[in-house]
Amino acid sequence: MGERKRRYKHLFVVVIILLTVVGFATEGYAAGAVDDGLLPEEAREAEGKVAYLTFDDGPSSNTIPILDILDEYKIKATFFVMANPSEEGMQGYREMMKRGHAIALHTYSHDYRKIYTSPDQFFHNIAQLETFLQKNFSIRTKILRFPGGSRNSSSKLYGGPGIMRKIIDESKKRGYTYFDWNIDSTDGISPAISVYTITSKVINGAKGKEKAVILLHDINAMDHTVTALPTIIKGLKKQGFSFDVIHEGTQAVQFK
C-alpha cells in the first residue's frame, strides 16, 4: 500500500509540473500574439524612426532585382503599381505578393491626358486597375498614389487648375487614402540621373525626420535606382531608421 501511495504522489507531482509548464507556454503564446503584430492593422502603426520605401510605376524588368535586394536586407516595401499584363509584369506581381510586400494603386495607364480630364475619367482608370488586380491576384486595396502626386502641375493642362482638388475630394468620398511623399529620390526624372544623386537625395532628405516616405521608381529604364538601393538602405539604417510597409493604419503623408 505504501508503494502505491508513493506512486500516486509521484504521478500527482508530475501532473502539476506539466500543468504549470503548459500554463506558462500558453501565457507566453498569448503575449507573443500581441507582440508579433496580430492586432488589427489599424492598431499597428510603426513606432520610432520609420522609413517607407515606395516604388511607383511597376512592375518592370527591374522588379525582381529590386525584390532581391530587399530580400537581402530583410526589408518590405510598398509598390504603387500600374497594369502590366505581360509575362514579366505578371511575374512581378506574383513575386511582390510571395515575398510579402504591399501593393497599392497607381492607375491603370498613368496617362495624364486621360486620367486628369475629370474625376470620372480618373476613377474609371482606377476601376480598370482594380479589376485587373482582383481578377488575376485577388488584390483589393483602398490605398493609392496619384501619378505626379496630389499637387502635380501637369494635370492642369488637361483638367484645369481645380482638377486635383476635385479628384482628391472624390477619392475621400469613395473611401480611398492617398499617399504622397516627403523625400523625392528624383530617380524618375531621367535614366541619366546618377546613382550619387539618387542616393544623396534620400540620405540627406531623411536627416531630421522621424517618418520618411521615399519616392522611388520601378521602371525598365531606371537601372540606377537598383544600383543605388543598397546604399540607400544602409544609409537609412545608419540614421536609425527601421522599415515598414504602408497599410490602412499608416498615417498618410500628403502634400499641403
Side-chain angles (χ1 to χ4, degrees):
M1 178 68 80
E3 180 64 24
R4 180 178 296 178
K5 285 184 178 181
R6 283 193 295 272
R7 288 179 180 176
Y8 282 142
K9 184 176 180 180
H10 176 74
L11 179 61
F12 177 77
V13 171
V14 170
V15 169
I16 292 298
I17 291 173
L18 287 173
L19 289 173
T20 301
V21 170
V22 170
F24 277 122
T26 304
E27 181 180 356
Y29 176 80
V34 174
D35 292 341
D36 289 342
L38 298 182
L39 293 171
E41 282 195 344
E42 61 269 22
R44 289 196 283 112
E45 178 68 274
E47 297 179 355
K49 294 180 67 172
V50 183
Y52 299 86
L53 298 176
T54 70
F55 295 87
D56 286 10
D57 301 343
S60 75
S61 60
N62 280 322
T63 300
I64 301 304
I66 288 170
L67 293 175
D68 288 344
I69 293 169
L70 295 173
D71 281 353
E72 180 181 350
Y73 290 93
K74 297 180 172 59
I75 287 171
K76 305 302 180 187
T78 304
F79 290 82
F80 289 92
V81 301
M82 302 191 305
N84 183 351
S86 70
E87 182 177 346
E88 180 178 73
M90 301 301 271
Q91 181 65 17
Y93 299 115
R94 285 192 289 268
E95 288 298 320
M96 290 175 195
M97 296 174 64
K98 179 181 176 181
R99 304 191 198 194
H101 300 279
I103 297 177
L105 307 171
H106 198 49
T107 71
Y108 187 90
S109 67
H110 207 288
D111 186 343
Y112 285 26
R113 294 169 297 179
K114 293 180 179 179
I115 64 175
Y116 287 142
T117 55
S118 71
D120 285 345
Q121 284 298 314
F122 180 85
F123 287 102
H124 174 70
N125 204 272
I126 285 289
Q128 288 180 296
L129 176 60
E130 289 175 318
T131 298
F132 173 80
L133 293 175
Q134 290 170 17
K135 178 181 178 181
N136 292 290
F137 306 103
S138 298
I139 295 171
R140 289 176 172 81
T141 178
K142 301 297 280 187
I143 296 172
L144 68 82
R145 172 172 285 162
F146 302 116
S150 65
R151 290 186 63 188
N152 73 84
S153 58
S154 298
S155 60
K156 298 176 184 178
L157 296 174
Y158 308 105
I163 185 61
M164 285 311 303
R165 184 71 264 165
K166 293 176 183 177
I167 292 174
I168 288 169
D169 290 344
E170 185 63 25
S171 72
K172 293 177 181 178
K173 290 179 184 177
R174 296 181 183 225
Y176 295 95
T177 301
Y178 72 90
F179 280 78
D180 289 313
W181 54 88
N182 57 12
I183 299 175
D184 184 356
S185 70
T186 69
D187 68 335
I189 295 175
S190 165
I193 298 295
S194 70
V195 171
Y196 173 80
T197 297
I198 295 168
T199 303
S200 59
K201 286 286 186 181
V202 175
I203 300 304
N204 292 331
K207 292 178 180 177
K209 287 184 172 63
E210 290 295 308
K211 182 175 183 177
V213 179
I214 301 157
L215 175 64
L216 296 157
H217 289 82
D218 178 11
I219 300 175
N220 290 339
M222 305 305 184
D223 295 335
H224 286 178
T225 302
V226 180
T227 306
L229 188 55
T231 305
I232 287 172
I233 292 171
K234 288 183 282 189
L236 291 171
K237 283 188 171 184
K238 189 174 181 179
Q239 291 187 34
F241 283 94
S242 61
F243 295 83
D244 200 4
V245 299
I246 290 173
H247 54 72
E248 290 184 4
T250 305
Q251 183 178 357
V253 168
Q254 299 171 346
F255 298 148
K256 302 299 183 182

